[in-house]
Amino acid sequence: ATGYPLAYVAARLAMGENLPSVRNSVTKTTTACFEPSMDYCVVKFPRWDLNKFKGVSAGLGSAMKSVGEVMSIGRNFQEAMQKAIRMAAPGMLGFQPLTTFESDEAINAVLSNATDQRVDALAAAFERGDSVASIEAATKINPWFLCKLHTIHLLRKHLQKRTLQTITAEEMLLAKQQGFSDKQIAIALGGADDVAVRRHRKELGVLPVVKQIDTLAAEFPAQTNYLYMTYNGTMSDQPVRKSGVFRLNHEAPSTMVLGCGAYRIGSSVEFDWCA
C-alpha cells in the first residue's frame, strides 16, 4: 500500500528465489534488496467501535479488536498522524484533547493500560502539563513518538495566542506542515470560521503541493503514480497544466483517480480510497 511490492517479493522468496535476484517492480531496473532512504511517512491508524458490543473489554492486547484501519501519507509523522486521526474517527479534528475524561485518575488509567481511548488520553495528558518523560514512564511508548505528538500540542497552544488577523504566513505554513486542518486552526484561533481561515491561508500563499510516492527517494527513477498532497514542499512532483489536467509527461495523456475518503461500511473502515 505504501508503494513497495511487499507481497510480490515475499511470494517470490517463498518460491525459493534469492532476494538479489528478484527484480524491483517499482524501478524495473534494480533488485528487491535495494534499501532506499524514504522521503515520506505513512501512518496506519485503527478505528474502534467497542461500545456497540456489550461486555467487551476496552483493553488492547494481541487480540484483533479494531473494525478497520486507515492509512495516511505525509512528509513527517505529525502531518500523517493528524491526517490519520481525522480519517479514522469522525468528529475528531486531529491530535487534541476531548472532553471524554471525568478526572485525572481516568486519564492515568488509560495511560497505564492501553484502551481504544489512548490517543485521547495522550492529548489530555499533554494538555494538563504532563512531560514526555512522565508519559513515557506510564505508557512505555517510545519517546520519539511522544516528542512528535508533544510538538503538535505545543504548536496548538501557540496558535491559541493568535487571531485570524495576527497569524503570520510562517505560522500558518508551519501549522499546515504539522497536519493541522483549517477547522483545527480556526478553533485554535478563538473560534474563527474555517472558511475564513481557508480564504486567509490562500491569501497568504500557503498552498499544498502534490508529491509522488517514491520508495527510492530519487536515488533511482521510480515508475509509480501514487500521489498524495502535503504542505511540506515547494513544488509538485507531477506538473499541473493551466487547464488543470495532470500530465505525467508533456506528451502522453493521463488519468487522475480522485479519492473521496476511506471506505466506510457501517462502522468499518478501510484505507483504500473510493474513486
Side-chain angles (χ1 to χ4, degrees), residues 53-251:
F53 301 106
K54 184 181 296 186
V56 173
S57 169
L60 303 182
S62 59
M64 180 67 173
K65 289 187 174 182
S66 70
V67 294
E69 61 185 4
V70 299
M71 185 186 83
S72 66
I73 308 173
R75 282 274 165 149
N76 57 49
F77 174 77
Q78 299 94 299
E79 180 184 30
M81 182 66 174
Q82 296 223 78
K83 282 183 178 182
I85 292 174
R86 286 193 289 272
M87 291 168 63
M92 290 188 65
L93 300 178
F95 183 72
Q96 58 188 55
L98 298 174
T99 56
T100 55
F101 298 98
E102 298 179 354
S103 63
D104 286 342
E105 289 72 22
I107 297 174
N108 295 336
V110 178
L111 291 178
S112 301
N113 303 282
T115 73
D116 56 334
Q117 292 183 308
R118 200 168 214 195
V119 171
D120 300 335
L122 291 174
F126 282 130
E127 182 69 13
R128 72 181 182 183
D130 288 16
S131 66
V132 169
S134 65
I135 296 178
E136 178 194 0
T139 62
K140 310 305 179 188
I141 295 175
N142 189 300
W144 186 91
F145 297 101
L146 296 177
C147 286
K148 300 300 183 182
L149 295 175
H150 192 228
T151 298
I152 298 174
H153 166 74
L154 293 177
L155 180 54
R156 185 177 59 83
K157 300 298 286 187
H158 175 78
L159 291 175
Q160 290 176 349
K161 303 175 183 178
R162 298 289 185 265
T163 65
L164 186 60
Q165 291 70 38
T166 61
I167 188 172
T168 65
E170 291 75 17
E171 290 170 331
M172 182 72 79
L173 176 60
L174 179 59
K176 300 303 291 185
Q177 289 176 335
Q178 297 295 304
F180 282 76
S181 68
D182 290 341
K183 190 170 184 178
Q184 247 182 312
I185 296 173
I187 293 175
L189 295 179
D193 181 63
D194 58 309
V195 176
V197 170
R198 180 178 185 271
R199 181 167 55 248
H200 186 54
R201 171 176 58 79
K202 296 177 71 174
E203 291 172 352
L204 293 175
V206 179
L207 302 172
V209 294
V210 179
K211 290 297 182 181
Q212 177 178 335
I213 285 288
D214 186 358
T215 54
L216 310 172
E219 296 175 33
F220 287 89
Q223 301 182 33
T224 54
N225 302 321
Y226 204 158
L227 308 178
Y228 65 99
M229 297 186 72
T230 178
Y231 288 83
N232 290 281
T234 56
M235 62 183 298
S236 297
D237 289 343
Q238 301 293 355
V240 184
R241 291 189 173 181
K242 291 184 178 180
S243 62
V245 179
F246 274 90
R247 299 289 188 185
L248 300 183
N249 54 57
H250 292 293
E251 300 298 332

Side-chain angles (χ1 to χ4, degrees), residues 21-38:
S21 65
V22 179
R23 307 306 297 178
N24 188 322
S25 59
V26 176
T27 64
K28 306 291 175 53
T29 57
T30 61
T31 61
C33 63
F34 173 72
E35 183 178 355
S37 57
M38 302 301 181

Side-chain angles (χ1 to χ4, degrees), residues 5-27:
L6 292 175
Y8 169 79
V9 173
R12 299 298 289 266
L13 295 178
M15 293 168 60
E17 295 190 42
N18 295 321
L19 193 60
S21 65
V22 179
R23 307 306 297 178
N24 188 322
S25 59
V26 176
T27 64

